[in-house]
Amino acid sequence: MATINGISVFVLTEKVSRSTESTSHPVEQGIDITDHTKRSPVTVSLTGEIVGENAPAVLKNLTELARKGNLITYIGRNIFSNMQIQSFNTDHPYTIAGGCSFDMTLKEIRTANSSYSASANKNAGTQQIQSDKESGTKVYHTVKKGETAWYLGEKVYKSQGSSVGFITSNNKDKVPNGDWTKLQVGTVLHVYNKK
């Protein structure tokens, strides 16, 4: 048995991937020079089964963790914290009554602490509101210097039901190359839906 944020699941296989990325640049004579190496986030691929009387509740809770993009702690043959469920697929064969088999991919989430302090945030980015009949009222935020998606999702708008996952998934087109650590000042981001 393994646990995901304390939720027990039966894990059959656990594949851990660790890699690094290197950048190389050509020189006038000789071979290319590698000038920078960085560690890529750890990914964990799981396969297993959700069984037992509480299988529907376990499935619901895991689906909710994946949907919200919450940070999780995985304890199995390996232990990882600050992970996020990147994919969660289920198969419901007749051989597993009331439960399912699953495959899941977890990815390590590494965040940098912002040098921006909460006390200096008295003049935080402006909020703009736009009504949408299907999803409620959309609330937007204009990025100020030093703000990150993590800061907005975890510190500024979490109490309104936002999260880092919500902000990143609803604003993919506004961040060049998907680098959420470098938000441009003045960028308008969809930060949460007001019901």
Side-chain angles (χ1 to χ4, degrees):
M1 284 299 236
T3 63
I4 298 172
N5 274 14
I7 302 167
S8 295
V9 292
F10 178 67
V11 173
L12 295 168
T13 62
E14 188 176 296
K15 180 180 177 183
V16 181
S17 299
R18 299 173 182 89
S19 62
T20 58
E21 297 176 26
S22 300
T23 56
S24 298
H25 298 284
V27 293
E28 291 179 19
Q29 294 180 344
I31 62 172
D32 293 349
I33 300 293
T34 300
D35 64 349
H36 183 75
T37 301
K38 68 176 182 175
R39 182 177 72 83
S40 299
V42 173
T43 59
V44 182
S45 299
L46 306 173
T47 62
E49 295 178 349
I50 299 171
V51 294
E53 294 175 3
N54 63 344
V58 169
L59 180 60
K60 179 183 176 194
N61 290 337
L62 291 176
T63 302
E64 197 66 14
L65 286 173
R67 186 184 70 78
K68 289 183 176 179
N70 292 352
L71 290 180
I72 64 161
T73 298
Y74 173 76
I75 301 174
R77 291 175 191 92
N78 293 280
I79 299 174
F80 297 100
S81 58
N82 292 328
M83 302 294 277
Q84 187 179 56
I85 299 172
Q86 296 289 300
S87 69
F88 178 47
N89 305 302
T90 59
D91 188 18
H92 303 264
Y94 72 92
T95 55
I96 303 175
C100 63
S101 60
F102 72 91
D103 65 82
M104 179 184 292
T105 303
L106 308 177
K107 182 178 178 184
E108 177 186 23
I109 303 298
R110 295 182 293 167
T111 56
N113 290 329
S114 174
S115 59
Y116 201 70
S117 69
S119 61
N121 193 28
K122 292 178 182 168
N123 298 319
T126 58
Q127 287 187 5
Q128 302 165 355
I129 299 175
Q130 178 182 1
S131 183
D132 184 335
K133 290 180 183 175
E134 291 180 19
S135 62
T137 303
K138 292 183 178 182
V139 178
Y140 293 86
H141 176 90
T142 303
V143 175
K144 297 294 182 196
K145 184 177 180 181
E147 292 179 331
T148 65
W150 180 88
Y151 176 76
L152 295 174
E154 291 295 316
K155 297 292 183 186
V156 179
Y157 295 108
K158 187 172 187 171
S159 62
Q160 283 85 12
S162 189
S163 67
V164 177
F166 179 90
I167 292 171
T168 56
S169 65
N170 284 285
N171 296 285
K172 291 178 184 174
D173 59 326
K174 298 184 180 173
V175 178
N177 302 324
D179 187 354
W180 286 94
T181 60
K182 298 178 181 175
L183 293 178
Q184 295 291 325
V185 172
T187 302
V188 178
L189 300 175
H190 176 196
V191 289
Y192 70 95
N193 291 333
K194 187 176 184 179
K195 298 292 181 183

